[in-house]
Amino acid sequence: MIYREIDGLRAAAVMPVILFHAGFSFFSGGFIGVDVFFVISGFLITSIILEEIGNGTFSLAAFYERRARRILPALFLVVLCCLPFAWLWVMPEEFRAFSDSLIATSLSGANFLFWFKSGYFAPEAAEVPLLHIWSLAVEEQYYMFFPLLVMFMWKRKRNWLFAVLVALALASLAYSEWASRVHPSANFYFLPSRAWEFLAGSTCSFMQLKGQKRGSDPLSFLGFGMIAFSIFYFDETSPIPSTLALVPVVGAMLVLLYARQGTWVAALLSTRVFTMIGQISYSAYLWHQPLFAFARIRSIDPPPLTVMGVLTCLSLVLAYVSWRFVEQPFRRRERRLLPSTRSLAASVSLVLAAFIAFGIYGHDTRGIPWRLPAPIKEFMANNGWSKTCLLEGSSGWDTMPIQGCVFNGSHEQTYAILGDSLASSLTPALAKRLDGMNIGLQQITHSFCAPVADVSMVPHQARDCGAFNAAAIDYLVKSKVKTVFLAASWKIFFEQSRYRFSGEEVATSDVGQSLRDAFDKTVGELTSAGIRVVIIYPHPRGDTEIAAKVAKLMHKGTPTPTITIAQDEFLRQSAPSYAYLDDPKDRHVLRVDPARIFCGREAGRCDLARDGKTFISDKLHFTPAGADAVADEILYALRQDDTVDGNVAALSSD
């Protein structure tokens, strides 16, 4: 396969990725263009290394210099262009995340960061300007190891090199199949799950080296069809990478091997449109995500497809400019920019150090909030959510009550709140009201830990939840606490596809009765000890950052924005959680439904922010105003309860 067909294949890979990110649903599997890119990269890198090693001209230093000249100039340009727009438009918390991505990008570790922060297909991912750099990080990590492996095998067991690469590819494929079921997010982002795609390209390089140079219309057409099928048939639920990814990967291999001059596929890929887009494909890939992300960040509502189509065209225009005036001047052999290795290394080091320093500053200042106008800064400062005493990991709850997490501790009677970060955001307002009733409040909260005995979600942040809940419930049963508030992100918890029951992971989604039994057990253990349980029900939540959205509207001239969602949509989303939470029938169970506060003021809607007063900070957690409203509803429920353990008078006088 000659170079212009490879450029054409690059075009066939990059355009579906761009159109998928633009939101064109017809390209539901467009993300597999990245898998095709990995195959192409493995093919080209292996071909170059084998040719140079065979000629005795291979140099590891020269290899890495070529990679740096290929990758870094255009990347640096795009990152630099992102900075002023992020500075002007991005709210502090998101700017802090952007700063983290600067550091990760500079250290070739963006895939690790985005795995830890959020999923590739999460709604918020569309507003992350540098999300797409994860694939570049995977490629850079591959470049670190692959040449060393080839050099090592060439010197010692040259005849075994092909067999070793095939064995590694099969091992990586098997691992990706396993990880797609057990650790799907890590599987998507990490090199061990992706290595077989690069090595598939390496296999093609070996086959070509050994004489496979014959074109085939049926096989090349089949390969192109397999890629097209993946683009239009796969979607976000497809477990990629896994054995399912063999469809586009084998398709790319067939095109690389058999789309030779004279075949239909070669003729298509050699057309001017395909080859031109292929030549600028790297820059196009770099430009498209920041353009789309900043458009979504700046827009109050999702931009229409017409706007995204215009931005798609703009990404190609910018790609041509950066290819012509940045990529080529650094790569050409004659009169190239920074011609010496030393000057290139010094310049790269300086730029990377500047990015890292700026990223550290943005992280440490929590998003450089002072860059925003004063009213926006004040609004954002007053509409965060409380993380005080929100534990993470296995430390901090060895002994209970947790030190420093008992509020109003001088009072004779103390209540407790048990739950996850949602409970943490509610605690300050609840503690303030209980203080006025001479009641203390113990906060027992851990990130990702819904208060359900013996059950936890699968993400690694929830790995300690089983032990945490066991310790908390054991303590409460033996304590003098006689009222416990259970609050959590119930919708998230009850809609997981995988859980750990008593430490054992359950793969099936048919866990309804087991979850119901576990929640009943939690409530039963507490009420059997004479403890009154107050369950805080789900509340309306947003699909974007609510405080940031209000701040955007204020920044654009709307002084008192209102943000709503449809009440029917909220009820539909919350129905599974209501079914679980309604189940315990013990008379010592009270229920507080925040929907009474946020929904129904106007028919058919639930308010997330009302006339400038914001109830939800991000997408889920209560602002101080939202926590105040829910705390008032809790006190109302306590007033209605005739088993308040002697506090009726105090409550009535509040």
Side-chain angles (χ1 to χ4, degrees), residues 623-645:
T623 63
D628 284 341
V630 176
D632 288 339
E633 190 71 12
I634 291 172
L635 261 64
Y636 176 82
L638 295 177
R639 289 192 183 100
Q640 304 307 306
D641 184 31
D642 61 358
T643 58
V644 190
D645 298 329

Side-chain angles (χ1 to χ4, degrees), residues 390 417-421 423-424 444-447 449-451 468 485-488:
L390 178 61
I417 183 168
L418 175 64
D420 60 10
S421 58
S424 177
I444 310 175
T445 55
H446 189 299
S447 291
C449 293
F468 171 79
F485 306 98
L486 302 183

Side-chain angles (χ1 to χ4, degrees), residues 372-452:
L372 298 172
I376 304 300
K377 286 191 293 184
E378 182 179 358
F379 174 84
M380 294 301 294
N382 294 334
N383 284 277
W385 59 279
S386 175
K387 302 177 181 68
T388 302
C389 285
L390 178 61
L391 303 178
E392 296 182 4
S394 58
S395 62
W397 44 273
D398 303 335
T399 58
M400 293 192 186
I402 300 168
Q403 187 176 4
C405 298
V406 179
F407 304 95
N408 325 321
S410 60
H411 299 312
E412 181 177 352
Q413 190 172 12
T414 301
Y415 292 175
I417 183 168
L418 175 64
D420 60 10
S421 58
L422 190 282
S424 177
S425 71
L426 178 61
T427 298
L430 187 57
K432 181 179 178 180
R433 281 154 179 75
L434 292 177
D435 187 31
M437 299 162 17
N438 298 319
I439 298 174
L441 180 66
Q442 296 185 27
Q443 181 179 347
I444 310 175
T445 55
H446 189 299
S447 291
F448 294 89
C449 293
V452 181

Side-chain angles (χ1 to χ4, degrees), residues 42 157 185 259 418 443 527:
K157 293 288 185 181
S185 183
L418 175 64
Q443 181 179 347
T527 57

Side-chain angles (χ1 to χ4, degrees), residues 392-519:
E392 296 182 4
S394 58
S395 62
W397 44 273
D398 303 335
T399 58
M400 293 192 186
I402 300 168
Q403 187 176 4
C405 298
V406 179
F407 304 95
N408 325 321
S410 60
H411 299 312
E412 181 177 352
Q413 190 172 12
T414 301
Y415 292 175
I417 183 168
L418 175 64
D420 60 10
S421 58
L422 190 282
S424 177
S425 71
L426 178 61
T427 298
L430 187 57
K432 181 179 178 180
R433 281 154 179 75
L434 292 177
D435 187 31
M437 299 162 17
N438 298 319
I439 298 174
L441 180 66
Q442 296 185 27
Q443 181 179 347
I444 310 175
T445 55
H446 189 299
S447 291
F448 294 89
C449 293
V452 181
D454 302 325
V455 185
S456 67
M457 298 185 294
V458 168
H460 71 281
Q461 300 97 324
R463 63 186 179 275
D464 299 306
C465 291
F468 171 79
N469 283 328
I473 293 170
D474 182 65
Y475 160 72
L476 290 169
V477 166
K478 297 175 182 177
S479 73
K480 296 181 180 180
V481 172
K482 294 303 178 186
T483 296
V484 173
F485 306 98
L486 302 183
S489 310
W490 297 116
K491 180 181 183 298
I492 295 175
F493 178 77
F494 284 124
E495 293 185 359
Q496 295 291 304
S497 59
R498 305 174 68 86
Y499 295 88
R500 286 191 179 94
F501 285 83
S502 301
E504 181 178 349
E505 188 167 329
V506 177
T508 178
S509 59
D510 186 21
V511 294
Q513 188 58 48
S514 298
L515 283 176
R516 185 168 286 104
D517 292 343
F519 186 63

Side-chain angles (χ1 to χ4, degrees), residues 18 283-284 287-288 291 310-320:
I18 294 174
S283 282
W287 280 110
H288 82 281
L291 286 174
V310 170
L311 291 176
T312 296
C313 296
L314 179 58
S315 70
L316 296 178
V317 173
L318 293 173
Y320 176 80

